[in-house]
Short mmCIF file of all heavy atoms in Angstrom, two decimals:
data_model
loop_
_atom_site.label_atom_id
_atom_site.label_comp_id
_atom_site.label_asym_id
_atom_site.label_seq_id
_atom_site.Cartn_x
_atom_site.Cartn_y
_atom_site.Cartn_z
N VAL A 261 39.85 78.96 93.55
CA VAL A 261 40.50 77.92 92.76
C VAL A 261 40.63 76.62 93.53
O VAL A 261 40.43 75.53 92.98
CB VAL A 261 41.91 78.40 92.30
CG1 VAL A 261 42.67 77.25 91.64
CG2 VAL A 261 41.77 79.57 91.34
N HIS A 262 40.93 76.70 94.84
CA HIS A 262 41.29 75.50 95.59
C HIS A 262 40.30 75.06 96.67
O HIS A 262 40.53 74.06 97.34
CB HIS A 262 42.66 75.69 96.24
CG HIS A 262 43.78 75.74 95.26
ND1 HIS A 262 44.10 74.68 94.44
CD2 HIS A 262 44.64 76.74 94.93
CE1 HIS A 262 45.12 75.01 93.66
NE2 HIS A 262 45.47 76.25 93.94
N SER A 263 39.21 75.80 96.84
CA SER A 263 38.26 75.40 97.88
C SER A 263 37.08 74.61 97.34
O SER A 263 36.14 74.33 98.06
CB SER A 263 37.73 76.65 98.60
OG SER A 263 36.93 77.42 97.71
N GLY A 264 37.12 74.30 96.05
CA GLY A 264 36.00 73.55 95.48
C GLY A 264 34.88 74.44 94.99
O GLY A 264 33.85 73.96 94.55
N GLU A 265 35.10 75.75 95.04
CA GLU A 265 34.04 76.65 94.62
C GLU A 265 33.94 76.76 93.10
O GLU A 265 33.02 77.35 92.57
CB GLU A 265 34.25 78.04 95.23
CG GLU A 265 34.16 78.03 96.75
CD GLU A 265 34.34 79.44 97.32
OE1 GLU A 265 33.78 80.39 96.75
OE2 GLU A 265 35.03 79.57 98.34
N ASP A 266 34.95 76.22 92.40
CA ASP A 266 34.91 76.29 90.95
C ASP A 266 33.64 75.66 90.40
O ASP A 266 32.99 76.20 89.51
CB ASP A 266 36.15 75.57 90.40
CG ASP A 266 36.36 75.83 88.92
OD1 ASP A 266 35.68 76.71 88.39
OD2 ASP A 266 37.22 75.15 88.30
N SER A 267 33.26 74.49 90.97
CA SER A 267 32.05 73.82 90.49
C SER A 267 30.82 74.64 90.83
O SER A 267 29.84 74.65 90.08
CB SER A 267 31.95 72.43 91.12
OG SER A 267 31.94 72.53 92.54
N GLU A 268 30.89 75.34 91.95
CA GLU A 268 29.75 76.18 92.35
C GLU A 268 29.58 77.33 91.36
O GLU A 268 28.47 77.74 91.03
CB GLU A 268 30.00 76.73 93.75
CG GLU A 268 28.94 77.71 94.22
CD GLU A 268 29.35 78.40 95.52
OE1 GLU A 268 30.29 77.93 96.17
OE2 GLU A 268 28.70 79.42 95.85
N PHE A 269 30.70 77.86 90.87
CA PHE A 269 30.64 79.01 89.98
C PHE A 269 30.31 78.60 88.54
O PHE A 269 29.93 79.41 87.72
CB PHE A 269 31.97 79.75 89.98
CG PHE A 269 32.26 80.43 91.29
CD1 PHE A 269 33.55 80.79 91.62
CD2 PHE A 269 31.25 80.70 92.19
CE1 PHE A 269 33.83 81.41 92.82
CE2 PHE A 269 31.51 81.31 93.40
CZ PHE A 269 32.80 81.66 93.72
N GLY A 270 30.49 77.33 88.24
CA GLY A 270 30.19 76.90 86.88
C GLY A 270 31.44 76.50 86.12
O GLY A 270 32.53 76.99 86.37
N GLU A 271 31.30 75.60 85.19
CA GLU A 271 32.42 75.09 84.41
C GLU A 271 33.15 76.21 83.69
O GLU A 271 32.58 76.98 82.92
CB GLU A 271 31.87 74.08 83.37
CG GLU A 271 32.96 73.44 82.52
CD GLU A 271 33.77 72.44 83.32
OE1 GLU A 271 33.21 71.88 84.29
OE2 GLU A 271 34.93 72.21 82.96
N GLY A 272 34.44 76.32 83.97
CA GLY A 272 35.28 77.27 83.26
C GLY A 272 35.12 78.72 83.66
O GLY A 272 35.74 79.59 83.03
N LEU A 273 34.31 79.01 84.69
CA LEU A 273 34.10 80.41 85.06
C LEU A 273 35.40 81.07 85.48
O LEU A 273 35.70 82.20 85.08
CB LEU A 273 33.07 80.51 86.18
CG LEU A 273 32.81 81.93 86.73
CD1 LEU A 273 32.34 82.85 85.62
CD2 LEU A 273 31.78 81.88 87.85
N LEU A 274 36.20 80.37 86.29
CA LEU A 274 37.44 80.97 86.76
C LEU A 274 38.41 81.24 85.63
O LEU A 274 39.27 82.11 85.73
CB LEU A 274 38.09 80.07 87.82
CG LEU A 274 37.37 80.04 89.17
CD1 LEU A 274 38.02 79.02 90.10
CD2 LEU A 274 37.37 81.41 89.82
N ASP A 275 38.29 80.48 84.54
CA ASP A 275 39.18 80.71 83.40
C ASP A 275 38.91 82.06 82.75
O ASP A 275 39.75 82.58 82.01
CB ASP A 275 39.00 79.60 82.36
CG ASP A 275 39.50 78.26 82.89
OD1 ASP A 275 40.49 78.27 83.65
OD2 ASP A 275 38.91 77.23 82.54
N SER A 276 37.74 82.63 83.03
CA SER A 276 37.41 83.92 82.43
C SER A 276 37.86 85.09 83.29
O SER A 276 37.80 86.24 82.86
CB SER A 276 35.89 84.03 82.21
OG SER A 276 35.21 84.09 83.46
N ILE A 277 38.34 84.80 84.52
CA ILE A 277 38.76 85.87 85.42
C ILE A 277 40.18 86.32 85.07
O ILE A 277 41.11 85.51 84.99
CB ILE A 277 38.73 85.41 86.89
CG1 ILE A 277 37.30 85.05 87.29
CG2 ILE A 277 39.29 86.48 87.82
CD1 ILE A 277 37.20 84.50 88.70
N GLN A 278 40.33 87.61 84.88
CA GLN A 278 41.64 88.22 84.65
C GLN A 278 41.92 89.20 85.79
O GLN A 278 41.02 89.88 86.26
CB GLN A 278 41.68 88.95 83.30
CG GLN A 278 41.41 88.06 82.10
CD GLN A 278 42.53 87.07 81.86
OE1 GLN A 278 43.71 87.38 82.04
NE2 GLN A 278 42.17 85.85 81.44
N VAL A 279 43.17 89.25 86.21
CA VAL A 279 43.56 90.09 87.34
C VAL A 279 44.65 91.06 86.91
O VAL A 279 45.65 90.65 86.31
CB VAL A 279 44.08 89.22 88.52
CG1 VAL A 279 44.43 90.11 89.71
CG2 VAL A 279 43.06 88.17 88.92
N PRO A 280 44.49 92.36 87.19
CA PRO A 280 45.55 93.32 86.85
C PRO A 280 46.85 92.96 87.56
O PRO A 280 46.85 92.61 88.74
CB PRO A 280 44.99 94.65 87.37
CG PRO A 280 43.51 94.46 87.42
CD PRO A 280 43.31 93.03 87.79
N LEU A 281 47.96 93.06 86.86
CA LEU A 281 49.26 92.68 87.43
C LEU A 281 50.33 93.69 87.01
O LEU A 281 50.43 94.05 85.83
CB LEU A 281 49.66 91.28 86.93
CG LEU A 281 51.08 90.83 87.25
CD1 LEU A 281 51.28 90.66 88.75
CD2 LEU A 281 51.42 89.52 86.52
N ARG A 282 51.09 94.12 88.01
CA ARG A 282 52.32 94.88 87.74
C ARG A 282 53.49 94.00 88.16
O ARG A 282 53.57 93.57 89.31
CB ARG A 282 52.35 96.19 88.53
CG ARG A 282 51.48 97.28 87.95
CD ARG A 282 51.88 98.64 88.47
NE ARG A 282 51.82 98.69 89.93
CZ ARG A 282 52.33 99.69 90.66
NH1 ARG A 282 52.96 100.68 90.07
NH2 ARG A 282 52.21 99.67 91.98
N LEU A 283 54.40 93.75 87.26
CA LEU A 283 55.57 92.90 87.52
C LEU A 283 56.82 93.76 87.36
O LEU A 283 57.09 94.28 86.27
CB LEU A 283 55.58 91.73 86.54
CG LEU A 283 56.78 90.79 86.60
CD1 LEU A 283 56.93 90.17 87.98
CD2 LEU A 283 56.67 89.70 85.53
N ILE A 284 57.57 93.91 88.45
CA ILE A 284 58.72 94.81 88.46
C ILE A 284 59.98 94.02 88.82
O ILE A 284 60.02 93.34 89.84
CB ILE A 284 58.52 95.95 89.49
CG1 ILE A 284 57.25 96.74 89.15
CG2 ILE A 284 59.74 96.87 89.54
CD1 ILE A 284 56.82 97.71 90.24
N GLY A 285 60.99 94.11 87.99
CA GLY A 285 62.26 93.47 88.26
C GLY A 285 63.26 94.47 88.81
O GLY A 285 63.67 95.40 88.11
N SER A 286 63.65 94.29 90.08
CA SER A 286 64.57 95.23 90.71
C SER A 286 65.36 94.54 91.82
O SER A 286 64.82 93.76 92.59
CB SER A 286 63.82 96.43 91.29
OG SER A 286 64.71 97.32 91.94
N LYS A 287 66.66 94.88 91.90
CA LYS A 287 67.51 94.38 92.98
C LYS A 287 67.83 95.48 93.98
O LYS A 287 68.60 95.26 94.91
CB LYS A 287 68.81 93.82 92.40
CG LYS A 287 68.65 92.61 91.50
CD LYS A 287 70.01 92.11 91.02
CE LYS A 287 69.88 90.84 90.18
NZ LYS A 287 69.25 91.10 88.88
N ASP A 288 67.25 96.65 93.79
CA ASP A 288 67.51 97.81 94.65
C ASP A 288 66.56 97.76 95.85
O ASP A 288 65.37 98.03 95.72
CB ASP A 288 67.29 99.10 93.85
CG ASP A 288 67.70 100.35 94.60
OD1 ASP A 288 67.54 100.39 95.84
OD2 ASP A 288 68.16 101.31 93.95
N ASP A 289 67.09 97.42 97.04
CA ASP A 289 66.25 97.24 98.22
C ASP A 289 65.55 98.54 98.63
O ASP A 289 64.41 98.52 99.10
CB ASP A 289 67.08 96.71 99.39
CG ASP A 289 67.41 95.24 99.22
OD1 ASP A 289 66.54 94.50 98.75
OD2 ASP A 289 68.54 94.84 99.55
N ASP A 290 66.23 99.67 98.47
CA ASP A 290 65.60 100.95 98.81
C ASP A 290 64.40 101.22 97.90
O ASP A 290 63.34 101.66 98.35
CB ASP A 290 66.61 102.10 98.67
CG ASP A 290 67.64 102.09 99.78
OD1 ASP A 290 67.28 101.69 100.90
OD2 ASP A 290 68.79 102.46 99.53
N PHE A 291 64.57 100.93 96.63
CA PHE A 291 63.48 101.15 95.68
C PHE A 291 62.32 100.21 95.97
O PHE A 291 61.15 100.61 95.92
CB PHE A 291 63.99 100.95 94.25
CG PHE A 291 62.98 101.27 93.19
CD1 PHE A 291 62.59 102.57 92.96
CD2 PHE A 291 62.41 100.26 92.43
CE1 PHE A 291 61.65 102.88 91.98
CE2 PHE A 291 61.47 100.54 91.45
CZ PHE A 291 61.09 101.86 91.23
N VAL A 292 62.65 98.96 96.29
CA VAL A 292 61.60 98.00 96.63
C VAL A 292 60.83 98.46 97.87
O VAL A 292 59.60 98.38 97.92
CB VAL A 292 62.21 96.60 96.87
CG1 VAL A 292 61.15 95.64 97.40
CG2 VAL A 292 62.80 96.05 95.58
N SER A 293 61.56 98.96 98.88
CA SER A 293 60.89 99.46 100.09
C SER A 293 59.96 100.62 99.75
O SER A 293 58.86 100.73 100.30
CB SER A 293 61.93 99.91 101.12
OG SER A 293 62.65 98.81 101.62
N SER A 294 60.40 101.49 98.84
CA SER A 294 59.55 102.64 98.46
C SER A 294 58.30 102.17 97.72
O SER A 294 57.23 102.77 97.84
CB SER A 294 60.34 103.62 97.59
OG SER A 294 60.62 103.09 96.31
N ILE A 295 58.43 101.07 96.95
CA ILE A 295 57.25 100.50 96.27
C ILE A 295 56.27 99.97 97.29
O ILE A 295 55.05 100.17 97.19
CB ILE A 295 57.67 99.39 95.30
CG1 ILE A 295 58.47 99.97 94.13
CG2 ILE A 295 56.45 98.64 94.77
CD1 ILE A 295 59.05 98.91 93.20
N ILE A 296 56.79 99.28 98.30
CA ILE A 296 55.93 98.72 99.34
C ILE A 296 55.14 99.81 100.03
O ILE A 296 53.93 99.71 100.23
CB ILE A 296 56.77 97.93 100.37
CG1 ILE A 296 57.33 96.66 99.72
CG2 ILE A 296 55.94 97.58 101.59
CD1 ILE A 296 58.32 95.91 100.58
N VAL A 297 55.83 100.89 100.41
CA VAL A 297 55.15 102.00 101.08
C VAL A 297 54.15 102.65 100.13
O VAL A 297 52.99 102.92 100.50
CB VAL A 297 56.17 103.04 101.57
CG1 VAL A 297 55.46 104.28 102.11
CG2 VAL A 297 57.05 102.43 102.66
#
């Protein structure tokens, strides 16, 4: 996105890239540590 390679890849190519995402809302530090591990 930021190194100028967008033009190398072609107009709008990066707009077609989708990335799997897991978004977890938690204030439990122990649970967060277990997720990290």
Side-chain angles (χ1 to χ4, degrees):
V261 172
H262 291 297
S263 67
E265 296 182 42
D266 192 11
S267 58
E268 175 189 345
F269 292 160
E271 182 72 27
L273 176 58
L274 288 175
D275 292 326
S276 68
I277 298 176
Q278 300 292 323
V279 182
L281 171 66
R282 283 199 303 168
L283 176 59
I284 301 169
S286 178
K287 296 182 177 69
D288 187 326
D289 286 321
D290 288 327
F291 185 70
V292 172
S293 292
S294 70
I295 292 174
I296 291 172
V297 173

